[in-house]
Amino acid sequence: MAEVNKIICTYIFNNWIKSYKSQRAFGLDHGIEESIVRKIKNTVLIPDKVDYNIPANTLQKICEARNIKLSDFFKLIDK
């Protein structure tokens, strides 16, 4: 299961978070706390120390803010 979380966090970080002005701005635009954005980022950047298990409701909020269905998100990360 940890591998799936890393794949999800890596996709979100590389494709969405990195292009934002700040973690705070991403959090505000996606209805999540900045601390969650930081956990996603740290899961990618320091995988030996952080392994964030992203909850389904958090992933749902991010997808809704980006106008993407969860099923479409999983198709994106499956490529």
Side-chain angles (χ1 to χ4, degrees), residues 5-32:
N5 284 307
K6 287 191 190 282
I7 292 168
I8 291 169
C9 289
T10 298
Y11 184 90
I12 292 170
F13 177 72
N14 287 332
N15 293 284
W16 299 336
I17 293 174
K18 278 174 80 172
S19 64
Y20 258 76
K21 178 176 82 173
S22 69
Q23 294 172 166
R24 184 172 187 263
F26 183 88
L28 289 171
D29 286 352
H30 293 81
I32 60 174

Side-chain angles (χ1 to χ4, degrees), residues 37 58 77:
V37 180
T58 299
I77 65 169

Side-chain angles (χ1 to χ4, degrees), residues 31-43:
I32 60 174
E33 296 292 325
E34 180 183 354
S35 62
I36 293 172
V37 180
R38 194 169 35 255
K39 288 176 187 178
I40 293 169
K41 178 187 85 171
N42 289 340
T43 295

Side-chain angles (χ1 to χ4, degrees), residues 4 9 19 46 63 67 69-70:
V4 171
C9 289
S19 64
I46 46 175
C63 288
N67 295 316
K69 293 180 186 177
L70 271 177

